[in-house]
């Protein structure tokens, strides 16, 4: 117990979420169990959503079973960031890593994940990657999936070794997804 | 996990911030079991202390007053079912407390035992955590209790 003046405040912000899984989340989860990515394609604008949300926020129309599409688990790195942990700040993270957004082939939305199997400093926009599937879903994966959260069940993305997609084409892909 | 259960996801964010001279002095006081207020240029007394006078935007002057730790409830809301991170495990009242000697209200919990014992204007006094548990945090005040 020190008598020094108190200079810092440490606290924890903790939020509990309980959400019944939507029909769309159930469809998505079933897909993940079979190592497939199931999304919805909007019947009006053709945008695809993964995980499916049950609606297209751009057109404001519902999407459902009729709009179900199986997506590719291959894609292109659109943007990325290299994480270089500062030992002064982080005790648990020590290794450099790379997180990126990946536009799946044939899709118009990006998904986010860690890019593995390559030196983080060598990752680049336009790199072709594929999903690294989890061998087994953990309890946590299941909970996240049931809540419709992100891409649980995929452990990251790794290079396929195919030639990069030219930057101009990546830009076109992202522009097509803009509203 | 059965197909009909509702999943529970907890999102936790550890949060750290530097305090600056005013809040630092206030929280250091709490750790030492003392309630300090600061004064503004116009003479208003603030507990909790602020770096500025919210009524006119002037910087607070570096002038400190120790308060006795008693006060009156100016407003309250009863919490019948406390959550995991609430200050008290038993039902309590979130209250705005006008500490004796202060010109503004402090938000804290009042442990009145039962809702029927709560009233606007009731007198309360500070209940400190044990010295060894105090770290320089607003929770160093365990709660206020009826005086």
């Amino acid at each position: 117990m020190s008598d020094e003046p108190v200079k810092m405040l440490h606290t924890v912000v903790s939020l509990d979420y309980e959400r019944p899984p939507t029909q769309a989340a159930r469809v998505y989860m079933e897909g993940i169990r079979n190592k497939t990515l199931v999304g919805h394609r909007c019947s009006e604008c053709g945008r695809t959503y993964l995980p499916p949300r049950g609606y297209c926020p751009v057109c404001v129309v519902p999407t459902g079973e009729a709009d179900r599409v199986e997506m590719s688990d291959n894609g292109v790195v659109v943007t990325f960031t290299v994480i270089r942990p500062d030992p002064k700040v982080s005790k648990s993270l020590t290794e450099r890593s790379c997180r990126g957004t990946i536009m799946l082939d044939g899709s118009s939305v990006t998904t986010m994940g860690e890019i593995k199997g390559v030196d983080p400093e060598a990752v680049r926009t336009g790199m072709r990657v594929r999903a690294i599937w989890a061998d087994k879903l953990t309890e946590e994966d299941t909970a996240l999936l049931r809540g419709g959260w992100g891409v649980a069940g995929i452990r990251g993305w790794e290079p396929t070794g195919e030639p990069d997609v030219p930057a101009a084409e990546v830009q076109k892909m992202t522009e097509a997804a803009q509203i | 996990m059965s197909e009909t259960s509702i999943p529970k996801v907890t999102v936790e964010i550890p949060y750290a911030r530097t305090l600056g001279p005013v809040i630092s002095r206030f929280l250091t006081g709490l750790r030492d079991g003392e309630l300090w207020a600061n004064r503004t240029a116009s003479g208003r007394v603030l507990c909790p202390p602020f770096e500025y006078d919210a009524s006119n935007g002037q910087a607070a002057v570096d002038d400190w007053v120790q308060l006795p730790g008693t006060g009156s409830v100016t407003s309250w809301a009863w919490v019948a079912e406390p959550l995991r991170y609430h200050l008290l495990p038993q039902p309590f009242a979130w209250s705005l407390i006008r500490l004796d000697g202060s010109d503004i209200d402090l938000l804290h919990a009042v442990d009145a035992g039962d809702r029927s014992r709560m009233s606007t204007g009731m007198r309360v006094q500070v209940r400190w955590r044990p010295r060894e548990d105090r770290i320089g945090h607003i929770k160093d005040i365990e709660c206020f209790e009826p005086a």
Side-chain angles (χ1 to χ4, degrees):
Chain A
M1 240 165 6
S2 115
D3 291 327
E4 292 294 300
V6 178
K7 300 271 189 212
M8 288 286 288
L9 175 83
H10 293 275
T11 186
V12 172
V13 179
S14 178
L15 304 165
D16 295 335
Y17 288 89
E18 285 184 69
R19 297 200 305 188
T22 59
Q23 173 62 29
R26 279 199 291 271
V27 164
Y28 176 71
M29 184 165 68
E30 210 39 57
I32 292 279
R33 285 193 202 290
N34 302 317
K35 299 196 179 179
T36 57
L37 293 171
V38 178
H40 280 174
R41 186 187 300 281
C42 173
S43 55
E44 289 202 18
C45 68
R47 284 185 179 83
T48 46
Y49 294 100
L50 183 89
R53 310 173 187 207
Y55 61 94
C56 171
V58 180
C59 304
V60 200
V61 295
T63 60
E65 269 307 273
D67 307 301
R68 173 192 185 122
V69 281
E70 194 169 314
M71 324 262 292
S72 169
D73 62 355
N74 279 238
V76 177
V77 174
V78 172
T79 178
F80 63 92
T81 181
V82 177
I83 297 157
R84 305 178 182 90
D86 179 345
K88 288 199 292 292
V89 176
S90 171
K91 300 276 176 283
S92 54
L93 272 185
T94 53
E95 297 298 310
R96 276 179 317 160
S97 62
C98 178
R99 286 187 69 80
T101 53
I102 291 109
M103 191 168 275
L104 300 179
D105 294 351
S107 118
S108 55
V109 287
T110 51
T111 179
M112 210 156 85
E114 188 172 342
I115 299 168
K116 298 175 171 171
V118 55
D119 179 359
E121 309 287 349
V123 174
R124 58 220 172 256
T125 293
M127 197 164 129
R128 305 268 311 141
V129 291
R130 63 171 162 251
I132 306 166
W133 288 94
D135 288 335
K136 234 175 120 232
L137 291 189
T138 63
E139 188 74 14
E140 190 187 8
D141 288 325
T142 312
L144 287 166
L145 285 169
R146 295 181 61 77
W149 291 74
V151 286
I154 291 181
R155 294 289 178 256
W157 300 82
E158 62 190 2
T160 62
E162 299 159 273
D164 286 8
V165 175
E169 217 170 304
V170 174
Q171 185 161 2
K172 263 209 283 270
M173 289 159 65
T174 55
E175 278 169 2
Q178 306 274 317
I179 296 170
Chain B
M1 198 179 286
S2 78
E3 282 302 298
T4 51
S5 72
I6 296 179
K8 191 174 198 173
V9 177
T10 302
V11 179
E12 282 204 345
I13 306 143
Y15 181 81
R17 59 165 282 207
T18 53
L19 295 172
V22 172
I23 306 298
S24 168
R25 170 129 190 199
F26 175 61
L27 293 183
T28 302
L30 295 185
R31 184 198 63 198
D32 299 339
E34 298 170 358
L35 267 171
W36 287 90
N38 68 342
R39 221 187 284 274
T40 71
S42 57
R44 296 206 320 148
V45 178
L46 310 180
C47 190
F50 280 83
E51 292 88 350
Y52 57 93
D53 185 338
S55 63
N56 57 23
Q58 288 173 345
V61 291
D62 191 23
D63 180 6
W64 292 81
V65 200
Q66 193 175 350
L67 304 183
T70 51
S72 303
V73 170
T74 55
S75 182
W76 55 278
W78 189 251
V79 179
E81 296 176 20
L83 300 173
R84 183 161 44 109
Y85 279 114
H86 271 148
L87 292 165
L88 296 167
Q90 67 273 27
F92 67 95
W94 279 124
S95 307
L96 287 173
I97 298 157
R98 180 66 55 99
L99 290 167
D100 295 341
S102 172
D103 293 312
I104 61 168
D105 294 334
L106 173 86
L107 175 71
H108 220 291
V110 170
D111 182 14
D114 190 86
R115 184 180 178 147
S116 63
R117 294 190 62 204
M118 287 301 303
S119 62
T120 298
M122 73 187 280
R123 299 288 294 158
V124 292
Q125 65 193 29
V126 65
R127 183 199 295 165
W128 296 102
R129 280 189 196 283
R131 174 67 184 89
E132 62 272 16
D133 295 341
R134 296 204 298 261
I135 56 168
H137 192 286
I138 190 68
K139 292 186 201 169
D140 291 355
I141 297 174
E142 188 170 353
C143 61
F144 285 79
E145 57 194 16

